[in-house]
Amino acid sequence: MITDSSAFVDDPVRVSVPALVALNRPAASIRLGSGRILSRQGGDYQSPFRGRGMEFDESRLYQPGDDIRNIDWRVTARTGKTHTKLFREERERPVFAWIDLRRSMHFATRGRYKSVLAAELAALVAWSALHNGDRVGGVIFSDEDHHELKPRRGRAAVLRLINAIVNDTAWTQRAPSGNGKQTLEHALLRLRRVARPGSLIFLISDFRNLDEQAQIPLTRLCPHNEVAMLFVYDPLEQALPPPGRYKISDGDREFLVDASDKRLVRQYRQQFQARLQRLQQLSRLNRTMLLPCRTDAEPLPLLLGGLRPGAGARANPAGISG
């Protein structure tokens, strides 16, 4: 099994079609499989997700041990004998990658840009969905652009997603700070337009500016779909570097940070912890999976660990200390 995707990265600040296509092979080791809540389906594998939807197949006479919640009352009333519904697993579940390429995502001090990691995570999810027989769709958004891809089957659907990611203008044009038209609320509202109930959705973002207004469409999305929040962040966002004076630039302005100021260091760490705790609370309330993804971590092991059997909807934020 291949567990290191670093060999496929050709640029830590920019993505390319060949690099994302090369993730096809390692993605085969990722399981997006059957559910832990609905019932056992397609073998004994248990995933953090409820799994594919269930299609009605037929009714038969009730047998001891059948789930009474599946009793077919219409057939029972018509025949006078208790019948139960049988279901079959839907084989073409829609899998969505919702990918944030806004300005704040084009940053890193270690590993690769947050935007590059997001693109790699999305490609791995898409290739895994293809191997799993699912349909692939996506929403790619930046400060100025927005792309909605309805779920389709086959390799062409994955390549369509990859091309939309690579060709987004965010890689070549930087919107001035605060001038971007795209918000998380808008991007989540657009996602609700294309995501049918029963979809498996991966939200890949640093979730900056996830305010109360943006949480409304997210909360409405979760009851009818399986949602995983992949929280992409850089180690510098978690804690300031060792004591010293550092120059930081956003491309337009320069800032001087004094990491010798203990009060500043403490407040900085507390701000990140508060942000993480808000995401954890949101995850618990909506019963979604939250998977923290550091820019200096490899995307394939992140997904293999986060989606492993028994990981559950409350993924442990490994590597993030209080």
Side-chain angles (χ1 to χ4, degrees):
M1 177 188 300
I2 300 174
T3 59
D4 181 8
S5 56
S6 61
F8 304 100
V9 178
D10 60 349
D11 190 337
V13 301
R14 182 75 185 267
V15 293
S16 68
V17 170
L20 298 184
V21 168
L23 294 173
N24 183 0
R25 184 182 173 195
S29 60
I30 301 172
R31 302 286 298 276
L32 302 180
S34 57
R36 65 177 175 86
I37 294 178
L38 287 177
S39 65
R40 181 176 294 176
Q41 310 168 33
D44 294 330
Y45 177 77
Q46 298 287 305
S47 92
F49 306 109
R50 282 192 283 269
R52 304 162 189 242
M54 300 293 288
E55 269 187 359
F56 174 72
D57 192 11
E58 62 179 344
S59 293
R60 63 158 169 76
L61 285 171
Y62 177 86
Q63 298 177 3
D66 286 343
D67 191 336
I68 60 173
R69 293 173 296 182
N70 291 333
I71 289 177
D72 190 332
W73 295 107
R74 296 178 65 180
V75 176
T76 298
R78 187 172 67 249
T79 63
K81 297 180 180 180
T82 305
H83 281 68
T84 187
K85 295 179 181 178
L86 295 181
F87 299 87
R88 66 173 179 270
E89 186 180 351
E90 291 181 3
R91 292 297 176 184
E92 290 187 350
R93 170 187 51 183
V95 176
F96 279 89
W98 182 84
I99 307 147
D100 184 355
L101 296 179
R102 294 174 302 159
R103 182 183 178 88
S104 65
M105 292 289 289
H106 296 269
F107 169 81
T109 60
R110 302 181 209 171
R112 69 239 316 139
Y113 268 17
K114 291 189 286 182
S115 53
V116 173
L117 179 58
E120 292 169 353
L121 290 168
L124 286 168
V125 165
W127 287 121
S128 175
L130 175 68
H131 293 305
N132 210 40
D134 295 319
R135 288 178 289 145
V136 176
V139 171
I140 304 103
F141 65 99
S142 56
D143 292 287
E144 300 294 339
D145 282 355
H146 184 100
H147 308 278
E148 296 174 12
L149 307 177
K150 293 184 178 180
R152 294 180 182 174
R153 64 177 64 88
R155 181 182 175 89
V158 182
L159 294 177
R160 179 183 59 152
L161 177 71
I162 287 174
N163 276 287
I165 294 171
V166 172
N167 293 321
D168 193 285
T169 58
W171 301 104
T172 55
Q173 298 178 8
R174 297 287 185 267
S177 298
N179 286 356
K181 299 176 183 178
Q182 190 72 259
T183 64
L184 289 186
E185 178 190 9
H186 181 253
L188 286 166
L189 286 170
R190 298 285 289 267
L191 174 63
R192 289 192 65 209
R193 288 173 42 181
V194 293
R196 298 283 184 89
S199 298
L200 174 56
I201 301 172
F202 289 85
L203 306 177
I204 311 173
S205 173
D206 60 6
F207 296 105
R208 286 191 175 273
N209 303 318
L210 183 66
D211 55 21
E212 291 184 2
Q213 284 298 115
Q215 292 177 29
I216 293 173
L218 173 59
T219 299
R220 292 175 177 172
L221 190 72
C222 292
H224 308 291
N225 302 280
E226 288 296 333
V227 178
M229 301 171 66
L230 307 189
F231 171 38
V232 182
Y233 71 100
D234 182 78
L236 184 62
E237 296 176 291
Q238 180 183 358
L240 288 173
R245 296 168 71 85
Y246 300 89
K247 280 187 177 181
I248 299 177
S249 173
D250 64 357
D252 298 323
R253 298 165 294 173
E254 283 192 353
F255 306 88
L256 186 63
V257 177
D258 184 2
S260 302
D261 186 336
K262 293 183 180 179
R263 181 181 177 184
L264 175 64
V265 170
R266 183 173 63 255
Q267 289 178 341
Y268 189 91
R269 181 181 290 274
Q270 288 173 348
Q271 284 181 345
F272 179 84
Q273 289 301 319
R275 182 171 153 215
L276 174 62
Q277 288 169 7
R278 286 195 297 270
L279 291 176
Q280 291 172 329
Q281 182 181 23
L282 188 63
S283 173
R284 286 192 295 269
L285 288 174
N286 292 316
R287 298 185 67 211
T288 65
M289 187 190 80
L290 175 64
L291 180 61
C293 304
R294 277 176 50 142
T295 56
D296 56 351
E298 289 301 320
L300 182 60
L302 281 172
L303 291 178
L304 288 173
L307 306 183
R308 70 186 184 281
R314 296 177 298 276
N316 179 37
I320 299 185
S321 58

